[in-house]
Amino acid sequence: MTLLIKCMYLPFSFYSRMVSPAIALAFVPLLLTLIIKYRYYFVLFYRAVLVRIWKDCVTGLSREERAFQYVLTNSTPGDPDSILDAFDYWCSKVEFISNIGPKKGKILDRLLLEQSPLTVLELGAHCGYSTVRIARALPLGARLYSIEMDQGNAAIAEKIIRLAGFDDDTVELIVNPSDEVIPRLRSDYNLERLDFVFMDHWKKCYLPDLQLLEEYGLLGKGSMIVADNMLFPGAPKFLRYLRKCGLYEWKIHRAMLEYSRGIRDGMAELIYQGIK
Amino acid sequence: MPVDTLITSENDTDIELDFAGDEDFQENHERQKHKGKRRNGDRPKNKRENQRRKRSSKSVQGIREESQSTTERRERRRRQRGKAEHETSGHQGNKGERDQTRVKTTKSKKNLKNEKTRKLEGKEDGEAQERSEKGKLKPVCAKNEEKIESGDQLKEKEKALGVKKKKKRKKVVETSSEPETSEESEDEEEVNNDGEVRPELLSPEELEKLKEAVDEKKKLIQSLRGKPWPMKQKLVTLRESQLFVEKYEGALGKGKGRKLYAYKVMMTKKWKKFQRDFENFKTACIPWEMKIKEIESHFGSSVASYFIFLRWMYGINMILFGLTFGLVMVPEALMGRPYGSIPRKTVPRAEEAGAMDFAVLWDFGGYAQYSVLFYGYYNNQRAIGWFKFRMPLSYFLVGVGTVAYSYMVVIRTMARNANESGVGDDNSFNFSWKMFTSWDYLIGNPETADNKFASITTSFKEAILEEQESRKDDNIHLTRFLRVLANFLVLCCLAGSGYLIYFVVRRSQKFALDGLENHTWWERNEVNMVMSLLGMFCPMLFDVISALENYHPRVALQWQLGRIFALFLGNLYTFIIALMDAINLKRKEEKVVKYNITMWEASLYNGTGSENSTAPPVTIHPADVPRGPCWETMVGQEFVRLIISDTMTTYITLLIGDFLRAVLVRFLNHCWCWDLEAGFPSYSEFDVSGNVLGLIFNQGMIWMGAFYAPCLPALNLLRLHVSMYLQCWAVMCCNVPQERVFKASGSNNFYMAMLLVILFLSTLPAIYTIVTIPPSFDCGPFSGKNRMFDVIQETLESDFPAWFSKVFSYASNPGLVLPFILLMVLAIYYLQSTSKSYREANVELKNKLQMQNEENKKKNKQAALKAQMDLEEARKSACQTAELQRNNNASVQRREDDEEIYNKNQRMYHVRNPSPSVGDREPHFPVRGPAPRNCHNGNHGNPRYLPGFHQQSEPRMYRVPSLERH
């Protein structure tokens, strides 16, 4: 036992012989600086990873299911606003899900109102927050195609969408990876042109999916593409492509990361100009 | 008839006129392009013109018999034209100065036409042509005259000169080009041909007039800036007047004078060019100027200000280095006793074994310690070398001189900067300042420009918010609380770091008592390490804390600087206190050693004496002689070590914190789960405040330690040189522009003030040690003296005549010194109070100016209102009087025509001319009249007679400008 303790202390004693404690103490300001500077990231890490793992173990449900349970009990069916509010509350106070969030959601709402698109494609429904948000802002007769890769998430998203009172005519949920669905959009769903595309799935898929959309001619002049999480976690390749290709008129709406205060994030707004 | 022949050509000339104008324009253009070689550019033109002349002369030759008549014609024509011009100028004397330029151009065109006509007239046989051709000329003339519409007296004069000038120029050109192309008879003939025109052109009156016109143009160019014209017009006027001056200036002289003048002009131009080149050369000679400019364009002036400061520091250190190296180190090394001759210049026997080890040398022990680099090596021999170099005196004076020089330079620079900063900005026009002064014009990088743009917009937003907030005034308590909290945290941090250093210093003293050899390198260098690390990390913490305070970045930078300053100062003074302790320890040791040495010497002599009293004293190798612990060398060593470790930390931080981070971010970004560039680690920004303070404290250490380690300025020079290149490179390759780029124009003096404070604080301990602690008994230039400054007294006594030392002793008498100091204090007080009163006067003047401005504005507004009313009145009255005028028309017209026209064209002219000049104007008068007048209100001082206008309406019309001119 004592040997074990000695072994445990060995590195420390070695350390103290190597470097005096005063020098180690001099590093305290650095540590403090790092902690203070990146506190939001630590908080985010805690809420999005540690709490999730803990709750997963405790409840045996997935995070999305827990969110759905909360929403189901705390919102008015058929009222998209109350569902969104319930989501926002749960995500900001209980656990963390990377929805688009209320602040960036407002930007999205505004863009949708300005554009009033008739055919909308959403990549990455996750648990239906953004789908409800978009469907809420659509004009009459518009149709939203929502693509979700994960089966479980898609089931919950379906429930949420129906709970919000949107039927099959307004929102169509497609459960498949986006890179499989996009090539078939024209043939299977009779889509000629997308007026509005919202991207919020895997950040690495932003660029390939955008290129697929271009390739299959689904974008017309004036089609708007909105991509979330441009700065955090960020999609550098996507941005680089945008800078280079010149097909789009684009800008980044700077905002904060959803349900968090100190982490900067942005939404990219692209308008397809076509080849000049 | 001859006149007709002249006229026939007009049809063609009109076309050619345009072409000529083009050519002229091209020439002008060319000339503008080759401003440097203007002289050369002129020559081809001359030739061209010459050729043209030749051609014409040829043709003239062909019809020699007619030459007489042609000249006649020409004369007449000129007269006629002059008259017409006179008329026209008398005519519409109110067109404003804008026309002045136009007139000139039309004038020149006309002249060209004149020339052309003459040419053409030769070719076409001088037979009478159809009368209808005449008609064609007249419209052209009329058009020209309409265009002319000239203005004031100045204009008139010029116009009167116009034709003559043109001819003059031609003549000049001919004569000047004559020597070049003087071979053929044709030339001579041409000269003869022109000779008919020349005499009258050369008349001194005309020259005088020409001169006047040129002078006027020059004046115009000078006063152009203040004229209330639109920019476009200004530019046009400027260009044209410059061309004019250029053209005719050369013609002013005569014969030799002209050549001399041309030579002078050429030389002035060359001189100007040379000056410009020299300026460029000087800029190129300023060290690192291009580098700094590049950085400035990428990162804004705040980062550049650091590098400029660094360069300035380098300059100062250069001089410090020159002083110490030239007057202390080199003389001692060359003329002093060589190494190994005396104990203080020899490595002691105990250290000899490891004296050349790198570790020892790196710590500045061993051979490095016993060399010119440190105080202890110097001998106290009063004069060394063949020309009796006073080494100790020089050492002392250089020590004092470096500090004095530094004081002088810093204070002078501060004063200069204070002058540059002017009256300073006041907060009364916050938004105007933001609007017109926030752009940094030195930015040359799109990314930085974007940042700057964004920061300006945010600053506007913030300013608006602030303005709103200041009215609301509810959040101020929170802000205050946060600021107090931030300061409290910073104080805690400072106290903690101070305690840590104190602790480390105590520990190191313990180690020193134990003997350093028993401890590891870490423990031996603990003090330096901890100081460097704290100096590196605490500012980062301060930076994070200062985010709480929500200051403007410039203010935040100053707070940050102040805090880091306090931190560094605390560290430095803890270090000095520790050093003082060490000095005291050494001095105790010294006493013991001194006693021991006397004992040892006594025993040595006793021993030898007992053995053999007549034998010569035993020679002992200097390495074996026991010696005292030279505290001065110890102090110097400590400072050198501190500098070295500081430099190392700076560079290593640079490499790890900036370069390695940048490399990681850049190359890991491809395979990372978030955007490293925009997100978490990102690239680092250049830390202006930390770097500036590092530099300043570094300099403070140099000032403190330079007396005991003459090598310090050299080391510092090396460090600055390296860090200039290294930091320039690091900034350009691994930093990103600050998010809030701001101008640092105000912060330069802040740096200087800190430097001054540091200078003062660093000379304080140095002076204290020099004055209070007696020098070591066996090392350094002052060994054996009671105090270091005794060297001055000694010099005074032995090297100067007796009377001088007497005078000096009188002068140093307190009875003399005290009044002198009193006088100085009084003078300072007086100067300060005068400067204060000046400042007050300045503020008062400023206020007055502002008041006046406001008053003027008010007045102008009133005047404008009044003018508007008057204008309307005038319009009404004009309408009323229009009918009256119509009755007068016929008579006015007739009179005019009589004056103007006296030859055969009379009828045509009569028919065509009135329509633009009179007939046209009358009915539209209310519409046409005011428009130009409002534009050019500056030039209508005296209303003049306008044949077409009704007399009554005039005074009213002119009241408008005269009111506005107040």
Side-chain angles (χ1 to χ4, degrees), chain A residues 17-23 25-27 29-30 32-33 36-38 41 204 230-237 239-240 264, chain B residues 500 503-504 507 520 522-523 526 529-530 533-534 537-538 540-541 544 661 669-670 672-675 677-681 739:
Chain A
R17 214 189 310 139
M18 271 292 291
V19 181
S20 67
I23 291 177
L25 271 178
F27 278 90
L30 177 70
L32 277 177
T33 309
I36 294 175
K37 207 169 185 179
Y38 299 114
Y41 293 92
K204 276 184 186 162
M230 287 320 295
L231 300 184
F232 183 87
K237 279 180 191 161
L239 278 180
R240 216 167 290 140
R264 284 184 307 149
Chain B
L500 191 62
F503 172 75
V504 170
R507 242 165 74 101
T520 57
W522 289 102
E523 280 166 341
E526 209 174 43
M529 288 281 293
V530 167
L533 286 176
L534 282 179
F537 296 140
C538 279
M540 288 157 81
L541 191 61
V544 166
R661 180 166 153 192
N669 204 21
H670 293 294
W672 203 258
C673 52
W674 67 73
D675 193 349
E677 283 178 1
F680 166 44
E739 213 164 300

Side-chain angles (χ1 to χ4, degrees), chain B residues 4 249 266 281 298 312 409 506 670 695 744 753 782 794 878 950:
Chain B
D4 289 343
E249 235 184 356
M266 194 176 73
F281 176 70
H298 276 79
W312 184 80
V409 166
R506 290 288 296 277
H670 293 294
L695 207 61
F782 312 114
E794 185 198 83
H950 197 274

